[in-house]
Amino acid sequence: MMSFDPATLQQNWPLAAKPRPIVTFGAGSIVGDAHYPAYRKGGFPIAGLFDPDQAKAKKLADEWGVTAYASVTQAAAVEDAIFDLATPPSRHADILKALPEGSFALIQKPMGSDLAEASEILRICRERNITAAVNFQLRFAPMMLALKDAIRQGWLGEVIDFDAWLALDTPWSLWPFLDGLPRVEIAMHSIHYIDLIRQILGNPLGVHAKTLGHPNHKVAQTRTSAILDYGDKVRCALSVNHDHKFGRRFQACEFRISGTEGAAYVKLGVNLDYPRGEPDELMIYPKGGSDWINVPLQGAWFPDAFVGRMANLQRFASGEDQELVSSVEDAWHTMALVEAAYQSSATPATPLAQKTEA
């Protein structure tokens, strides 16, 4: 029997031979902290960006030596560009309507504010022949590419258990556009995990969920418990608490994935002390093994997953990749699962039986 060699696991996505210039809509922190560092690292040419806040756009453009466009129309006129929509979810549809027919676009997650907006985005992309992917970049993190390769190679057997456990102190103030939004935690954060689980396990039969806020702040939801129903063989659960503000010692951001013959442990380091973060970790207990084996990682979720996400879209545009990962067609199903989770949270739980007095 072959022995498990962590060095054989895929950890990065191949780059495009001739990448197209990137035009970004939005100048928020995610662009300067993740998109542009990743694009520079991957060798992708950045043409420029547009943001209605011209001062913020010019500041970021000057930092990166790119153009700050004066309007959506001017930004959309850049030829043969990949359009990078780093915009709030409610703005995606309007930007897509302004892009040339036949364009290629990357849409920041979520794919709209709710399933109705996701369906509208899908309609616009079909109508205007826009080839679009959604920025579910966790699928491209080195640790996740390696995990999925280990699963493909059979080192875990059949995956039958997936646990996501988070106890964090998340700085929601970094994203001021979240203020007043009715949907936050699942739609903006746990959507990453839900999407990755879909890629590994497929679509569930349904979901049981409860998502809620915290009395110490006004963010709509920052705590979630969810069970994804995959029938009688697979157990899948998420426990998420972004309000664990009691020091690093018992904070966590980790997955435990168990199969019939092996298991994996993943630490998502960026969320611990975000955005500085800690190193990611991946350990595998392989089929036929007798102990956990560390997988040395070549990069981290931020920024390397953003490199891979853009590389796949660039390569699909040039014909080098045959599959567009997280296309709007596929991402719609992640949005449907998010919608179902919110519906479940709004539905009363099964009540306890009431004791009757004799």
Side-chain angles (χ1 to χ4, degrees):
M1 178 181 171
M2 286 176 52
S3 60
F4 174 70
D5 179 4
T8 66
L9 299 178
Q10 176 190 359
Q11 292 198 32
N12 54 67
W13 205 268
L15 298 173
K18 294 181 179 180
R20 298 182 180 207
I22 297 169
V23 172
T24 301
F25 294 91
S29 64
I30 193 70
V31 179
D33 292 342
H35 288 224
Y36 281 5
Y39 300 162
R40 188 64 52 87
K41 183 173 183 176
F44 305 123
I46 304 169
L49 60 93
F50 168 77
D51 192 287
D53 185 335
Q54 290 283 291
K56 185 166 72 170
K58 187 176 187 311
K59 182 174 182 292
L60 186 62
D62 288 347
E63 287 173 8
W64 289 90
V66 301
T67 301
Y69 299 111
S71 65
V72 169
T73 303
Q74 187 182 14
V78 178
E79 292 188 8
D80 294 323
I82 299 285
F83 295 105
D84 179 28
L85 277 63
T87 40
S90 62
R91 295 288 298 139
H92 296 339
D94 288 342
I95 299 296
L96 289 167
K97 289 174 185 175
L99 299 184
E101 292 192 12
S103 296
F104 290 85
L106 179 61
I107 303 169
Q108 179 61 26
K109 62 81 194 158
M111 184 179 161
S113 301
D114 52 29
L115 188 59
E117 287 189 13
S119 297
E120 172 68 2
I121 286 167
L122 182 58
R123 185 194 65 78
I124 293 166
C125 289
R126 287 172 171 172
E127 191 175 89
R128 300 184 61 78
N129 191 31
I130 294 173
T131 302
V134 177
N135 202 352
F136 288 128
Q137 78 300 121
L138 181 58
R139 293 190 181 201
F140 293 89
M143 56 186 165
M144 298 309 175
L145 290 174
L147 167 67
K148 288 177 288 189
D149 201 16
I151 293 171
R152 274 193 297 268
Q153 293 185 33
W155 290 112
L156 273 63
E158 183 183 358
V159 176
I160 57 170
D161 228 285
F162 195 113
D163 265 316
W165 181 40
L166 286 77
L168 303 167
D169 180 8
T170 298
W172 296 101
S173 60
L174 289 177
W175 305 284
F177 74 89
L178 297 177
D179 291 349
L181 289 187
R183 294 182 172 187
V184 177
E185 202 291 310
I186 300 175
M188 298 292 180
H189 189 92
S190 285
I191 191 171
H192 281 300
Y193 316 135
I194 287 170
D195 179 72
L196 181 84
I197 290 166
R198 276 193 57 248
Q199 190 185 29
I200 293 173
L201 296 175
N203 287 330
L205 302 172
V207 60
H208 308 275
K210 183 67 176 179
T211 187
L212 62 162
H214 192 281
N216 288 350
H217 57 70
K218 295 181 180 178
V219 181
Q221 306 95 26
T222 52
R223 297 176 294 158
T224 298
S225 294
I227 298 170
L228 275 58
D229 183 358
Y230 282 96
D232 295 335
K233 186 183 288 187
V234 176
R235 185 187 72 91
C236 180
L238 297 89
S239 177
V240 181
N241 177 9
H242 291 274
D243 295 286
H244 197 277
K245 303 175 184 293
F246 310 106
R248 172 65 184 89
R249 185 173 181 184
F250 294 115
Q251 289 179 348
C253 189
E254 55 196 32
F255 296 165
R256 288 175 175 82
I257 302 101
S258 300
T260 52
E261 299 178 90
Y265 168 86
V266 184
K267 172 185 160 186
L268 295 79
V270 71
N271 289 328
L272 297 158
D273 191 22
Y274 183 90
R276 184 169 58 182
E278 298 178 7
D280 295 329
E281 293 179 17
L282 172 62
M283 299 189 76
I284 304 282
Y285 194 109
K287 174 183 178 180
S290 58
D291 203 354
W292 290 92
I293 296 174
N294 181 59
V295 178
L297 294 173
Q298 303 158 16
W301 181 1
F302 283 49
D304 297 276
F306 292 80
V307 179
R309 167 64 282 177
M310 178 56 72
N312 170 240
L313 179 55
Q314 291 268 5
R315 286 172 59 87
F316 189 80
S318 66
E320 294 168 275
D321 276 0
Q322 299 307 304
E323 179 195 0
L324 181 59
V325 178
S326 294
S327 68
V328 286
E329 300 285 346
D330 175 73
W332 185 92
H333 293 282
T334 294
M335 295 299 295
L337 181 47
V338 167
E339 189 75 23
Y342 278 106
Q343 288 179 11
S344 175
S345 185
T347 302
T350 303
L352 301 183
Q354 296 300 309
K355 183 179 180 182
T356 56
E357 298 298 332

